[in-house]
């Protein structure tokens, strides 16, 4: 499942020494225009890695021979940031044509997006190559849904070589970004005991029981533009916006991890960066396999 040997943080030091700065500039400009884009770029990397590995297959458009992952239900109308990756690639082609892969751009962009909204950073290993194929089918089955039970979420991450602790840490990315009304409507109108009544009432103002499916709400009301551990504080107060978020603190095997991250910000920061790096190791295409798009 994972391949560490051929990936290296110094992969482009000789062939494209300014590559990281070029990607950082594109990401910084995008996030300065729209803070939400940081969350979108982190999610784009995640949705790429969970389907066929970190191979940029999520970027491939529909062709007579490719059924794009972009149209799979977990991605359709919600995954964004493609233009930022294209901008970075365009700039890289001016100085290093045919050298830096889009798969690596996705990984580096996620890192810089994180640093811009909270300072969490990690050393990105590089050397991935791009896939020539996509898998709409795997995008439908391997990308986890916001209504999935905890057992399904844990097994979905385990299938990618990631531990339960990795999963909880990576879920902390929901400290930033927004969700569409139709994804949390059932939860806020459920009157269940696992949601704070005042929190539910406040969310109902922008999410009526019918229509306005695309209305957005921040995943974290308190620090919506800061990647921090407040997401876990929200869960401890029964203020997780999505059902799959609150499931992490529902009397199950992940409760202790959530409470640890809520109480110890440094533990979350350390585990989030380590887990994101491990996610970036999922089934990369290396060596002479795959392609480098020009």
């Amino acid at each position: 499942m994972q391949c560490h040997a051929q990936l290296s943080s110094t992969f482009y030091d000789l062939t494209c020494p300014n590559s990281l700065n070029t990607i950082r500039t594109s990401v910084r400009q995008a996030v300065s225009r729209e803070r939400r884009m940081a969350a979108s770029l982190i999610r784009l990397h995640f949705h790429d890695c969970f389907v066929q590995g970190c191979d940029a297959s999520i970027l491939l458009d529909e062709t007579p021979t490719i059924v794009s992952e972009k149209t799979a239900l977990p991605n359709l109308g919600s995954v964004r940031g493609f233009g930022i990756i294209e901008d970075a690639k365009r700039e890289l082609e001016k100085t290093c044509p045919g050298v830096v892969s889009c798969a690596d751009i996705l990984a580096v962009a996620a890192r810089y997006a994180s640093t811009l909204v909270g300072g969490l950073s990690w050393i990105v290993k590089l050397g991935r190559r791009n896939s020539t194929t996509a898998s709409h089918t795997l995008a439908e089955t391997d990308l986890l849904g916001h209504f999935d039970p905890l057992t399904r979420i844990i097994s979905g991450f385990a299938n990618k070589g990631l531990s339960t602790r990795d999963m909880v840490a990576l879920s902390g990315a929901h400290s930033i970004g927004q969700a569409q009304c139709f994804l949390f409507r059932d939860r806020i109108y459920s009157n269940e005991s696992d949601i704070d009544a005042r929190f539910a009432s406040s969310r109902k103002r922008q999410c009526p029981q019918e229509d306005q499916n695309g209305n957005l709400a921040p995943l974290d009301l308190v620090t919506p533009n800061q990647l921090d551990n407040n997401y876990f504080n929200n869960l401890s107060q029964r203020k997780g916006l999505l059902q799959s978020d609150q499931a992490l603190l529902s009397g199950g095997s992940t409760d202790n991890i959530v409470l640890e991250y809520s109480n110890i910000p440094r533990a979350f920061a350390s585990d989030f960066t380590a887990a994101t790096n491990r996610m970036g190791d999922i089934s990369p295409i290396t060596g002479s396999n795959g392609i480098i798009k020009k």
Side-chain angles (χ1 to χ4, degrees):
M1 180 61 70
Q2 300 186 344
C3 174
H4 307 271
Q6 297 183 65
L7 297 182
S8 165
S9 62
T10 61
F11 190 82
Y12 297 114
D13 281 9
L14 296 179
T15 55
C16 194
N18 205 39
S19 57
L20 298 186
N21 287 333
T22 301
I23 299 168
R24 179 173 58 188
T25 297
S26 293
V27 173
R28 186 175 64 239
Q29 291 172 346
V31 174
S32 67
R33 289 192 300 267
E34 182 192 11
R35 192 82 167 170
R36 180 189 173 204
M37 187 54 69
S40 298
L41 289 171
I42 294 170
R43 185 167 182 250
L44 189 59
H45 179 43
F46 168 73
H47 279 226
D48 179 43
C49 291
F50 261 58
V51 181
Q52 296 189 162
C54 308
D55 61 359
S57 60
I58 195 170
L59 304 180
L60 295 174
D61 291 319
E62 205 89 3
T63 72
T65 58
I66 293 175
V67 182
S68 177
E69 293 169 18
K70 294 179 181 180
T71 58
L73 190 59
N75 292 331
L76 187 62
S78 65
V79 170
R80 43 202 305 274
F82 299 108
I84 313 308
I85 305 303
E86 292 170 3
D87 288 345
K89 177 62 173 175
R90 191 178 306 114
E91 290 302 311
L92 287 165
E93 286 301 294
K94 294 176 182 178
T95 53
C96 312
V99 173
V100 182
S101 71
C102 292
D104 279 343
I105 296 173
L106 283 164
V108 174
R111 190 266 298 274
Y112 284 131
S114 173
T115 63
L116 288 167
V117 292
L120 300 183
S121 186
W122 55 93
I123 296 173
V124 180
K125 286 174 282 185
L126 304 165
R128 303 169 189 81
R129 292 169 66 86
N130 299 347
S131 174
T132 57
T133 63
S135 179
H136 183 283
T137 300
L138 286 178
E140 293 275 6
T141 59
D142 288 11
L143 291 171
L144 298 161
H146 300 302
F147 305 104
D148 285 339
L150 182 59
T151 52
R152 160 85 174 110
I153 297 171
I154 290 173
S155 65
F157 275 74
N159 290 338
K160 303 300 177 183
L162 297 170
S163 69
T164 297
R165 192 174 183 90
D166 290 334
M167 179 274 290
V168 178
L170 289 168
S171 296
H174 281 184
S175 175
I176 55 174
Q178 301 184 65
Q180 298 180 66
C181 168
F182 77 94
L183 292 172
F184 59 86
R185 176 182 282 126
D186 287 350
R187 174 161 163 73
I188 63 174
Y189 286 97
S190 68
N191 294 317
E192 296 288 343
S193 60
D194 68 346
I195 185 167
D196 178 83
R198 289 186 178 179
F199 172 72
S201 179
S202 70
R203 294 299 85 209
K204 290 175 183 177
R205 294 173 197 150
Q206 295 297 319
C207 185
Q209 282 189 287
E210 296 181 1
D211 301 323
Q212 300 185 46
N213 285 345
N215 282 7
L216 295 171
L219 290 161
D220 174 6
L221 275 174
V222 182
T223 55
N225 294 314
Q226 188 79 8
L227 181 52
D228 56 23
N229 74 320
N230 200 68
Y231 164 83
F232 301 101
N233 297 336
N234 294 338
L235 300 185
S236 67
Q237 298 168 30
R238 297 179 296 129
K239 294 179 180 179
L241 185 63
L242 302 174
Q243 190 61 50
S244 56
D245 288 332
Q246 196 60 53
L248 299 180
L249 187 62
S250 58
S253 61
T254 55
D255 284 13
N256 287 340
I257 306 172
V258 170
L259 295 175
E260 179 185 348
Y261 291 161
S262 176
N263 292 322
I264 310 173
R266 284 178 298 177
F268 162 63
S270 175
D271 285 358
F272 176 82
T273 56
T276 306
N277 222 344
R278 278 191 285 274
M279 183 181 73
D281 284 334
I282 298 175
S283 303
I285 299 173
T286 58
S288 60
N289 299 313
I291 61 169
I292 304 294
K293 180 182 175 183
K294 296 182 180 180

